[in-house]
Amino acid sequence: MPVFYGTHVESPLMLGTAQYPSPAIMAEAFRASDAGIATVSLRREGGAGQDFFNLINSLSVRILPNTAGCHSVREAVTTAQMARELFGTPWIKLEVIRDDDTLCPDVVALIEAARILSDDGFQVFPYCTEDLSVCGRLLDAGCQVLMPWGAPIGSGRGLNNPYGLRSVRAHFPDVTLVVDAGIGLPSHAAAAMELGFDAVLLNTAVAKAGDPVAMADAMAQAIRAGQLAHRAGAIEARDMAAPSTPIFGMAML
């Protein structure tokens, strides 16, 4: 059960609300996923109107507004302030994008925006890279959650840098960590949880699947499996074979 700024959330799956074939399919996918948090873009809600907002409320999940599409500190801060007023929550998923081709976070602007928003009473969920110095500076800026990417948003490539993600987990053992972006398959989501992350945030892998509802169910099961595997304690990989049946006690011929 992940804890975000003192709030316990039942499910470690966080699911986005964009790109679904229809609002009805989105609602079904959420129910199949048992997600505890829905990420919502201010631009997305503004375009869909009150009906969309009512649908999200009917899902009985916590809303995490985001600053998707922002390219500067000023734009991100203004968007966050508008989202707080609209959704009535201090939570904000902070995105500040540097490059439109890779949607890579602008880490310099991200840290500055995180500090401004934290000082203004926001509880910031920063979409960042797995760079340890960046993560450390975000914590210094007031963040209590880190959301390093697995791969570029919408790429479906999975975990591009497992070593880097494992290092983040090891260096910040008491920080709530979420793999955000790049998840394409249930196996990717399971791998993130096996590394010891607290949650996974995804959108495209479910919304753009041939059957979003079935994929949402698959992601939920994979995340549970990965979480259980981490708690169970996996065996270490070996270069040599190790017999599962010992030689001691075998008949001598």
Side-chain angles (χ1 to χ4, degrees):
M1 177 185 298
V3 181
F4 301 106
Y5 292 96
T7 298
H8 294 258
V9 178
E10 291 293 332
S11 171
L13 175 56
M14 306 163 72
L15 192 58
T17 56
Q19 305 186 77
Y20 290 86
S22 71
I25 291 176
M26 183 196 74
E28 289 184 47
F30 262 87
R31 295 185 183 102
S33 73
D34 198 31
I37 293 175
T39 60
V40 181
S41 168
L42 184 64
R43 290 170 172 81
R44 172 69 177 87
E45 198 284 329
Q50 188 63 40
D51 288 344
F52 177 77
F53 188 77
N54 291 339
L55 176 59
I56 294 298
N57 282 336
S58 73
L59 298 175
S60 298
V61 296
R62 288 191 66 97
I63 294 177
L64 176 61
N66 68 45
T67 63
C70 292
H71 290 77
S72 69
V73 172
R74 181 178 179 180
E75 187 179 13
V77 169
T78 299
T79 301
Q81 291 169 340
M82 293 171 63
R84 179 169 60 182
E85 182 175 345
L86 178 63
F87 295 107
T89 176
W91 282 13
I92 191 71
K93 179 190 172 186
L94 181 60
E95 296 183 30
V96 187
I97 302 301
R98 172 66 181 176
D99 178 71
D100 285 330
D101 290 329
T102 64
L103 299 180
C104 178
D106 182 338
V107 295
V108 176
L110 180 71
I111 294 167
E112 183 180 351
R115 181 173 292 107
I116 292 170
L117 292 172
S118 295
D119 289 345
D120 191 28
F122 282 90
Q123 296 173 342
V124 181
F125 295 63
Y127 163 62
C128 60
T129 65
E130 70 278 20
D131 184 280
L132 292 176
S133 63
V134 170
C135 291
R137 289 183 181 276
L138 286 167
L139 295 175
D140 292 341
C143 299
Q144 296 180 25
V145 175
L146 297 173
M147 303 178 69
W149 63 351
I153 294 172
S155 67
R157 296 183 58 85
L159 308 184
N160 274 355
N161 185 7
Y163 170 80
L165 293 171
R166 189 178 295 111
S167 296
V168 172
R169 179 71 284 175
H171 276 75
F172 306 110
D174 299 321
V175 176
T176 301
L177 299 180
V178 181
V179 168
D180 177 13
I183 300 298
L185 295 170
S187 57
H188 300 158
M193 299 303 292
E194 288 168 6
L195 290 177
F197 276 70
D198 298 284
V200 172
L201 195 161
L202 57 92
N203 187 168
T204 308
V206 168
K208 302 295 285 185
D211 185 339
V213 178
M215 184 60 76
D217 185 18
M219 289 292 184
Q221 294 188 52
I223 286 173
R224 284 194 292 270
Q227 188 177 50
L228 286 171
H230 175 71
R231 291 174 180 171
I235 64 171
E236 294 185 5
R238 298 169 54 96
D239 292 329
M240 299 292 292
S244 56
T245 302
I247 296 176
F248 180 78
M250 293 182 63
M252 301 295 293
L253 302 177

